[in-house]
Amino acid sequence: MSDVTRRALRLLSLLQSRSVWTGPELAEELGVTTRSVRRDIDRLRELGYPVLASNGHGGGYQLGAGKALPPLLLEGEEAVAVAVGLRLAAGSGIEGLDEQALRALTAIDRILPPTVRAEVSAISEVLAVLDSGPSGVTSPTLLTLARAAREGVEARIDYERRDGERMMRRVEPYRVLSVARRWYLFAWDRDREDWRTFRLDRMHEARATTFRFTRRTTPDVESYVRESLSVGAYATQAEVRVLRPLEEVSPHVPAMIGTLTADGPDACLLRIGAWDLRWVAAHLAYLDLPIEVVDPPELIAEIADIGAWASGGAQRAAGSEGA
């Protein structure tokens, strides 16, 4: 590294450490003239760092806000704080924040010095977001798959299915998503030649390879994952037409319950999966919205049975009050 480059990095570190520096102060810290400081400031500006200058009492050089975030220089303890904060954010359950935090954590993790990475892991082991509950997912698994998806390399996962069978799967990772406080991998399964969704808490090991893959045209990832979790995972499936606008119904249908698509401005189609139709009927009763059964016809009888049970309970309650 040349003296000029080393000095520019040191200058950047100084500007990030304090709000305002005068030219003479920077020159003293760097051991150069104020003229050299001005040249180094110009170099930083050419690299995209918005270094502002002001005259008069209290004036000097300071980093300003630019249109894009330039690279940051972090000391060891600062890097630990940022990485730990990102790990907590990744498990916070805040919509959208978890995946953004994971992408940022993946970017910073690969350049952390070994000592800093070890400290981050040690601190993370004793921290948790209480509201989210234990996810059963280890940070190495999460980061390995996120990095493999970003770099476009195949991965090998030791995966345990719902029935307890374990097998090694060869996958092309595309996305790592958080749904209802669980983490999932959306990937192309090389052995089955199809898209698959895998739960990270069922992975005993995940290893990235050096084999690059040609990216395929993907379906709508979020819709596919939601469909596979809420409908495709069950043998019993049903579809109803909810006689309310999509935007009114969607807050009441979590991602793990079903999928919604608009059916005109005043209605939407709800696809839902379950172990049996009685559960589907009970959930529809809980929604308390007007519906039309599309499929299967047997769902109508299940809804009628629940209605008869509720009506009988109401009549018995009324009779006991009259007595």
Side-chain angles (χ1 to χ4, degrees), residues 248-275:
E248 181 180 332
V249 179
S250 57
H252 305 288
V253 182
M256 301 296 292
I257 297 299
T259 64
L260 287 167
T261 54
D263 187 26
D266 301 318
C268 57
L269 293 174
L270 168 62
R271 297 192 68 237
I272 190 170
W275 298 117

Side-chain angles (χ1 to χ4, degrees), residues 46-82:
E46 290 174 359
L47 292 173
Y49 292 92
V51 183
L52 308 179
S54 57
N55 298 319
H57 180 70
Y61 296 104
Q62 65 182 117
L63 279 178
K67 294 182 179 178
L69 179 66
L72 297 176
L73 293 180
L74 299 175
E75 300 294 336
E77 292 184 358
E78 294 170 336
V80 169
V82 170

Side-chain angles (χ1 to χ4, degrees), residues 19 56 97-98 110 127 141-142 180 189-190 254 269 282 291 305 313 318:
S19 58
L97 179 60
D98 40 20
R110 66 176 298 141
L127 295 179
T141 297
L142 196 63
D189 191 320
R190 292 293 304 274
L269 293 174
I291 64 166
D305 285 347

Side-chain angles (χ1 to χ4, degrees), residues 88-98 129 131-132 178 180-183:
L88 289 175
S92 66
I94 300 175
E95 184 178 356
L97 179 60
D98 40 20
V129 180
D131 289 341
S132 64
S178 175
R181 296 179 179 175
R182 276 203 177 109
W183 286 98

Side-chain angles (χ1 to χ4, degrees), residues 169-280:
R169 308 286 280 269
R170 301 183 304 151
V171 298
E172 298 174 0
Y174 278 76
R175 288 278 301 278
V176 181
L177 307 95
S178 175
V179 182
R181 296 179 179 175
R182 276 203 177 109
W183 286 98
Y184 296 88
L185 170 68
F186 171 76
W188 178 264
D189 191 320
R190 292 293 304 274
D191 299 314
R192 288 154 181 76
E193 290 294 310
D194 199 3
W195 298 107
R196 288 290 189 273
T197 301
F198 301 94
R199 275 176 53 172
L200 267 64
D201 60 336
R202 289 183 179 163
M203 295 181 187
H204 294 271
E205 182 185 6
R207 177 173 55 87
T209 72
T210 57
F211 300 109
R212 295 193 173 275
F213 60 85
T214 302
R215 294 194 177 273
R216 308 169 189 269
T217 302
T218 65
D220 183 311
V221 177
E222 294 184 8
S223 297
Y224 181 93
V225 171
R226 181 166 181 155
E227 173 86 9
S228 66
L229 299 180
S230 62
V231 182
Y234 300 96
T236 300
Q237 301 174 2
E239 184 176 27
V240 299
R241 187 169 186 260
V242 185
L243 305 181
R244 290 289 186 272
L246 175 64
E247 59 272 15
E248 181 180 332
V249 179
S250 57
H252 305 288
V253 182
M256 301 296 292
I257 297 299
T259 64
L260 287 167
T261 54
D263 187 26
D266 301 318
C268 57
L269 293 174
L270 168 62
R271 297 192 68 237
I272 190 170
W275 298 117
D276 56 61
L277 286 178
R278 176 57 62 96
W279 189 95
V280 174

Side-chain angles (χ1 to χ4, degrees), residues 110-183:
R110 66 176 298 141
I111 60 175
L112 288 177
T115 54
V116 175
R117 183 180 290 109
E119 187 172 357
V120 171
S121 297
I123 294 176
S124 298
E125 288 177 0
V126 297
L127 295 179
V129 180
L130 295 181
D131 289 341
S132 64
S135 66
V137 180
T138 64
S139 292
T141 297
L142 196 63
L143 291 172
T144 295
L145 295 173
R147 188 180 300 119
R150 188 185 65 181
E151 297 179 354
V153 296
E154 294 182 19
R156 304 288 187 270
I157 58 175
D158 180 0
Y159 193 71
E160 182 175 338
R161 302 195 321 180
R162 181 180 295 166
D163 59 9
E165 181 181 358
R166 283 177 59 174
M167 61 185 66
M168 190 63 67
R169 308 286 280 269
R170 301 183 304 151
V171 298
E172 298 174 0
Y174 278 76
R175 288 278 301 278
V176 181
L177 307 95
S178 175
V179 182
R181 296 179 179 175
R182 276 203 177 109
W183 286 98

